[in-house]
Amino acid sequence: MQISLAKQVALVTGASSGLGYACAKGLAAAGASVVINYNSQAEPAEKLAEEIRQQGGQAIAVQGDVSSQDDVNNLITQAVEHFGGLDILVANSGLQKDAAIGDMTLQDWQKVIDVNLTGQFLTAQAALLQFRKQKGQRQVSRANGKIIHVSSVHQLIPWAGHVNYAASKGGVDLLMRSIAQEVGEEQIRVNSIAPGAIATAINADNTEGDAAKKLLELIPYGRIGASEDVANAVVWLASDLSDYVHGSTLFIDGGMSLYPEFRGNG
Ligand SMILES: NC(=O)C1=CN([C@@H]2O[C@H](COP(=O)(O)OP(=O)(O)OC[C@H]3O[C@@H](n4cnc5c(N)ncnc54)[C@H](OP(=O)(O)O)[C@@H]3O)[C@@H](O)[C@H]2O)C=CC1
Ligand SMILES: C[C@H](O)[C@@H]1OC(=O)[C@H](O)[C@@H]1O
């Protein structure tokens, strides 16, 4: 079944690379106009926007640091000014700054929390305020807006050596579920995806060579994930096919989260 997101506008944060890049491509292929956010890598973001336009779609690339409320507000402004509104937010931006707990600096703790957790708060808040502002004006979906948080299996699985990252994702879990509890009556639909081991830049050290062999021992389904595996799930969660899915986390991990004893991969 081909999913259509025609006439809908999506904002994907952190779409200059990896999962965000794949999600922006997938949402555009389903007919959505896409705002491709990047922080430092303009070139791949601009090239993706151009590729989408060349293929008859609508897309713009917009620089913004999701930990800056002014930048986040500008992302929403650009969506409205270029495409008339906002229907879908994929809050994807994230990074790791790994260290053993005894060696972790406050700066590295704070940076990961600022981007991975505060950035998700700021983008979700700005999106839902826009959904409220445009309520009744956009007959494009059964919901009055959809928010998809990109979390991780490490919202559930502890990750020694990555306490800032795992704590940020644990926070995303209850951020999402609390927002969902608060805004569901407005038919604003809020969910998370929790990817496992996906072959992207953030994960390069773990998904190649001997490290990948070790990781595969923890993946019942027997393969490392691809960005497209995540993008396909995001397109479905953004569509009316999942209209009764609200406050849920979709684990996209080949079954990795079935291993509660998983101590992380490095
Ligand atoms: N890959 C994996 O196996 C998994 C990934 N995830 C999560 O998926 C999400 C994407 O990860 P992945 O694609 O692998 O990582 P990448 O490193 O490939 O991409 C990260 C993206 O986040 C953007 N970003 C970083 N800091 C900021 C910021 N301050 N403001 C705005 N954007 C920012 C980057 O932008 P730029 O490069 O332009 O600076 C980039 O586009 C993250 O939230 C990650 O935690 C979860 C589970 C597994
Ligand atoms: C399980 C993955 O290898 C791990 O999970 C994450 O969230 C990290 O980005 C790593 O990819």
Side-chain angles (χ1 to χ4, degrees):
M1 170 184 288
Q2 181 64 34
I3 291 174
S4 171
L5 298 174
K7 298 193 177 67
Q8 296 196 50
V9 180
L11 163 62
V12 183
T13 66
S16 55
S17 170
L19 302 187
Y21 184 97
C23 289
K25 270 186 91 165
L27 291 163
S33 300
V34 186
V35 177
I36 299 164
N37 161 247
Y38 66 94
N39 185 42
S40 62
Q41 296 186 85
E43 189 189 348
E46 293 289 3
K47 277 180 72 174
L48 177 58
E50 179 55 28
E51 181 187 308
I52 291 168
R53 291 192 294 264
Q54 291 287 342
Q55 290 167 356
Q58 298 195 77
I60 55 170
V62 182
Q63 193 283 330
D65 173 351
V66 294
S67 64
S68 154
Q69 191 162 42
D70 288 345
D71 284 10
V72 166
N73 289 338
N74 180 55
L75 295 175
I76 306 297
T77 300
Q78 295 304 313
V80 174
E81 286 183 358
H82 284 82
F83 304 125
L86 180 72
D87 305 294
I88 302 157
L89 166 67
V90 180
N92 166 75
S93 294
L95 78 169
Q96 293 177 214
K97 288 194 176 293
D98 305 332
I101 180 67
D103 303 324
M104 185 169 288
T105 65
L106 177 60
Q107 290 73 13
D108 284 352
W109 165 269
Q110 198 62 58
K111 180 66 178 175
V112 169
I113 297 297
D114 287 350
V115 175
N116 294 15
L117 182 55
T118 306
Q120 299 247 358
F121 156 70
L122 290 172
T123 47
Q125 183 188 54
L128 73 89
L129 290 175
Q130 176 58 33
F131 296 156
R132 288 175 175 167
K133 202 181 289 182
Q134 66 190 29
K135 187 171 165 60
Q137 300 164 22
R138 296 186 62 78
Q139 313 299 333
V140 295
S141 168
R142 293 180 67 180
N144 293 323
K146 292 143 292 178
I147 297 172
I148 300 166
H149 292 275
V150 180
S151 183
S152 162
V153 288
H154 290 299
Q155 73 169 46
L156 177 70
I157 303 170
W159 199 8
H162 308 257
V163 292
N164 48 358
Y165 184 85
S168 75
K169 297 301 185 179
V172 169
D173 177 36
L174 273 169
L175 172 73
M176 180 281 286
R177 291 197 281 146
S178 303
I179 295 174
Q181 194 178 55
E182 192 168 329
V183 305
E185 64 191 8
E186 300 172 64
Q187 279 73 53
I188 294 172
R189 207 151 62 77
V190 188
N191 292 287
S192 286
I193 59 163
I198 314 294
T200 68
I202 203 175
N203 213 10
D205 295 347
N206 305 310
T207 52
E208 289 157 11
D210 291 344
K213 289 196 188 79
K214 192 170 138 233
L215 205 46
L216 282 167
E217 290 166 18
L218 294 163
I219 303 175
Y221 196 61
R223 71 172 173 86
I224 302 273
S227 294
E228 291 66 35
D229 293 316
V230 175
N232 292 338
V234 163
V235 169
W236 177 77
L237 262 183
S239 78
D240 285 351
L241 291 178
S242 59
D243 188 56
Y244 203 54
V245 179
H246 178 63
S248 294
T249 296
L250 186 56
F251 282 81
I252 309 164
D253 65 353
M256 178 181 272
S257 49
L258 296 170
Y259 288 110
E261 75 283 3
F262 175 34
R263 285 181 51 82
N265 51 295

